[in-house]
Amino acid sequence: VVAFPFEDIYIDRRHVLHTLTKREQKIVFYFALLTASLGIGGIRAIVCPLSAYNLEDCGPKELLSFFNWFYWLINLNSALVFVSISYIQQSVARNLGFLIPFVSVLMATITIHMVRGEMIYKPKTDSSLLTTFGVIASALKTCCMRYRYFSGGVTNWLDHAKENCGGQYSEIQVESTKSLARLFPLFAFQILYRTCIMQIPSGYYLQTMNSNLNFSGFVLPVAAMNVISIVPLLILVPILECINSCLFSSKDTGHSPTIYIVVGQLSAALSVMVAGFSEIHRKHFPQVEQMLSEEVLLVSSMPCFHLAPQYILLGVAEALVTPSCSLLSFWLVPERIRGISMHFLTLFNGAGCFMGAFFVLTAHAGTQGNWFPHLLHEGKLERFFFFLASLMTVNTLGFWTIAHRYSNLNQEYTNEFRGSLPEEKLLKHEKAIKHYDSVLESSPILSPMEKT
C-alpha cells in the first residue's frame, strides 16, 4: 500500500498512474503503519509461543538454548534485510524497497495457509486470556464489596476470586493467575529497557543520518548501522550456549538467567551514555554536504563508524536480556498459561516503545526543541541521552533488588506454581498408586495372602 503514493509513477511523460495530494499520501502512509503494527504484533505474540509449546517437558537449560537460537535466527534474518533492502531503498529505488517485503509476506502467507492444518494448537479451555482477566476482575469486585483488600483467611488479594471465597473461579484458575501476577514486576522493568532499544530507529538513527556515511566513495545506508548492533548477538549466542552448558551441568540448585538481565540492562544504560558522549564528539567536526535519498543535507564530517560502540553495547544487551526474559516468562508459570505469559511480555515490550515516543515528545516540547531538535547541530541531544541513561541505571538497580524472586529455577521453586495445583497433585497421586500396584503384582517376595 505504501509503495506508490510517495512519488508519482509515470507510464510515460504524459500519463501518471495517480495524482494523490500530499495529505492523501500521509493518510495512506499512516494507515499502512497501523496495519503493519497489527501484523507485527500478531506474529510476535503467536509464533514464539507456538514453537515453544513443543518444549513443555524440557528443563530451563533446553528452553534457554531454544530462545537463544530462536532470536539468533531472527536477528540473522534482520541483518540480511538491513544490508540488502535498505541499500535498495536508499540507493536504487525507494518503492522497490517496499515491494520486496510485500512479495515476501505474500509468499509466506500462502505457505502458512497450505500447512495451516499442522500449525493449529488448541490450549485448554480454562486457560484463555479472558479467564485471566476475569479472575482479576472478580477479585477486585469481591474486594470492593467487602470494603477491604485482605480478609483474615486470605493471603493474596486474588484469592477472593476463588469459589470458596465468594468468587466464581476454580482454585486452579486462580493459582495460575497468581503465578502470572508474580511476573508483572519482571515485565514492568522491561519497559524502560525497551525504550533504550528503541533509540536505534529514533535517536541513533538521527545521529547516523547526520554523520558522514561515505565509505571509500560508497554511501552506506543509514539502516545498515543496525547490523553493527546485530553482530554482537550473532557472536554471543554460541558463547552463551557454552556458558549455559557449564552452569547447568552442575548438580547444585542451578543458576538463574537474572544475572544476564542485570548485566544486559547495565549494557543498555552504558550504550545510551556513550551515545551522549558521541553526540558531543560529533559536533566538534566541521559540517559537509551529503546526498541522501536525492536530498542534500548538511551533516557532520565525523565518520558514522564512530557511533559503533553504542550500537555494539545495545547488541550485547539484546543478546543477554531478551532470551532470559522469555525463559522466565515461559518457565515460571504453569503449562496452561505459558502462551498468555509470553503475550504479556510482548505487550510490555510494546509499552516500552510507546514510552520511548512519549519521552521524545516530552523532551521536544518541554525544552522547546533543545533536547530533541530538528537540526542536531543546533540542539542538545546529548542531554536527552544522559537523562535516559540515568533512568535506565535506576531501573537496573530496581530490578536487581527483586531479582531474587526469579533467581532459583530448581524443581522445588517451580513446584510452588505447578505442584500446588490440586489437579496436578491428584495426577501425581494416581501415578504413585499405579506404580505401587505394579510393584505388588510383580514382587516375588509377597505371598498371595500378603497381596490380598
Side-chain angles (χ1 to χ4, degrees):
V1 173
V2 180
F4 295 104
F6 275 107
E7 299 170 353
D8 292 334
I9 307 300
Y10 294 91
I11 299 178
D12 53 41
R13 295 184 179 274
R14 297 181 180 180
H15 299 85
V16 181
L17 289 183
H18 80 82
T19 56
L20 296 179
T21 63
K22 293 295 182 181
R23 181 177 180 275
E24 293 172 340
Q25 292 180 20
K26 288 183 178 181
I27 293 176
V28 174
F29 176 71
Y30 286 117
F31 174 77
L33 283 182
L34 175 62
T35 56
S37 63
L38 293 176
I40 294 172
I43 291 174
R44 290 183 177 179
I46 293 175
V47 171
C48 188
L50 185 64
S51 302
Y53 276 132
N54 297 324
L55 303 174
E56 290 182 347
D57 298 329
C58 297
K61 175 184 175 182
E62 291 79 9
L63 283 174
L64 185 58
S65 177
F66 165 78
F67 286 116
N68 275 331
W69 290 112
F70 179 83
Y71 290 109
W72 186 86
L73 289 173
I74 290 178
N75 283 272
L76 178 63
N77 181 34
S78 300
L80 297 177
V81 169
F82 285 131
V83 171
S84 59
I85 296 183
S86 61
Y87 171 75
I88 293 173
Q89 187 171 5
Q90 178 174 306
S91 303
V92 179
R94 183 185 302 178
N95 298 325
L96 187 59
F98 288 102
L99 289 177
I100 294 176
F102 166 74
V103 175
S104 301
V105 173
L106 181 62
M107 294 175 61
T109 304
I110 296 174
T111 304
I112 293 175
H113 179 73
M114 294 173 61
V115 297
R116 67 188 185 281
E118 302 177 2
M119 301 179 65
I120 296 177
Y121 177 85
K122 293 183 179 180
K124 298 180 180 180
T125 57
D126 59 347
S127 61
S128 66
L129 188 61
L130 292 178
T131 302
T132 303
F133 285 124
V135 171
I136 298 175
S138 178
L140 292 175
K141 179 181 179 180
T142 306
C143 289
C144 294
M145 292 176 60
R146 297 184 180 184
Y147 297 100
R148 55 181 178 171
Y149 286 95
F150 297 98
S151 62
V154 176
T155 58
N156 190 291
W157 67 277
L158 285 173
D159 290 332
H160 288 291
K162 294 182 179 179
E163 294 175 342
N164 56 358
C165 295
Q168 54 182 351
Y169 291 92
S170 65
E171 185 174 355
I172 297 176
Q173 295 170 333
V174 175
E175 291 296 327
S176 299
T177 305
K178 286 169 62 177
S179 66
L180 178 62
R182 293 187 180 98
L183 292 178
F184 282 170
L186 170 68
F187 298 154
F189 279 105
Q190 301 310 308
I191 293 179
L192 198 59
Y193 165 76
R194 190 55 53 181
T195 301
C196 294
I197 297 298
M198 288 305 297
Q199 294 308 306
I200 290 182
S202 57
Y204 290 7
Y205 183 91
L206 292 178
Q207 280 186 300
T208 306
M209 188 176 65
N210 286 271
S211 301
N212 188 6
L213 295 171
N214 285 292
F215 179 71
S216 300
F218 176 76
V219 180
L220 293 174
V222 178
M225 290 294 292
N226 292 17
V227 180
I228 299 179
S229 66
I230 297 176
V231 169
L233 190 145
L234 299 179
I235 297 176
L236 281 178
V237 164
I239 298 176
L240 291 176
E241 281 297 296
C242 297
I243 296 176
N244 294 335
S245 299
C246 297
L247 291 179
F248 284 101
S249 62
S250 59
K251 297 182 180 181
D252 55 9
T253 57
H255 299 267
S256 172
T258 53
I259 185 64
Y260 292 159
I261 299 177
V262 173
V263 175
Q265 291 192 356
L266 285 177
S267 179
L270 183 60
S271 172
V272 182
M273 184 176 296
V274 170
F277 288 111
S278 298
E279 180 63 18
I280 298 176
H281 176 66
R282 189 187 63 81
K283 294 179 181 179
H284 292 163
F285 286 80
Q287 293 184 335
V288 296
E289 292 184 350
Q290 180 172 262
M291 179 71 69
L292 190 64
S293 297
E294 300 180 356
E295 296 182 7
V296 178
L297 302 177
L298 197 62
V299 302
S300 172
S301 59
M302 183 192 79
C304 61
F305 293 108
H306 288 196
L307 303 174
Q310 62 198 55
Y311 283 92
I312 293 175
L313 288 171
L314 273 189
V316 172
E318 273 289 86
L320 297 174
V321 174
T322 302
S324 301
C325 286
S326 299
L327 169 63
L328 295 178
S329 304
F330 191 85
W331 177 252
L332 296 181
V333 294
E335 295 178 0
R336 65 183 66 249
I337 62 169
R338 280 177 169 175
I340 298 176
S341 177
M342 298 295 291
H343 296 165
F344 271 98
L345 178 62
T346 305
L347 178 65
F348 277 83
N349 288 339
C353 301
F354 282 99
M355 182 68 71
F358 174 76
F359 280 170
V360 170
L361 291 175
T362 304
H364 180 76
T367 62
Q368 297 180 353
N370 188 29
W371 279 24
F372 218 96
H374 294 287
L375 299 176
L376 293 191
H377 63 276
E378 297 180 356
K380 300 291 183 181
L381 181 61
E382 64 273 9
R383 295 182 181 179
F384 173 79
F385 286 140
F386 291 146
F387 172 72
L388 185 58
S390 61
L391 290 180
M392 188 61 206
T393 302
V394 175
N395 184 82
T396 305
L397 294 176
F399 175 77
W400 180 69
T401 59
I402 69 165
H404 62 90
R405 302 182 185 180
Y406 318 104
S407 60
N408 198 349
L409 296 178
N410 60 2
Q411 190 64 28
E412 286 76 11
Y413 184 74
T414 56
N415 279 342
E416 179 184 353
F417 302 139
R418 300 190 188 91
S420 61
L421 299 181
E423 180 184 90
E424 298 179 10
K425 283 185 176 181
L426 181 61
L427 183 61
K428 292 181 180 180
H429 183 64
E430 292 177 352
K431 289 182 178 179
I433 293 177
K434 292 179 180 179
H435 176 72
Y436 181 70
D437 291 339
S438 63
V439 172
L440 289 178
E441 293 176 358
S442 61
S443 176
I445 300 176
L446 298 178
S447 63
M449 182 62 66
E450 289 174 330
K451 292 181 180 181
T452 304

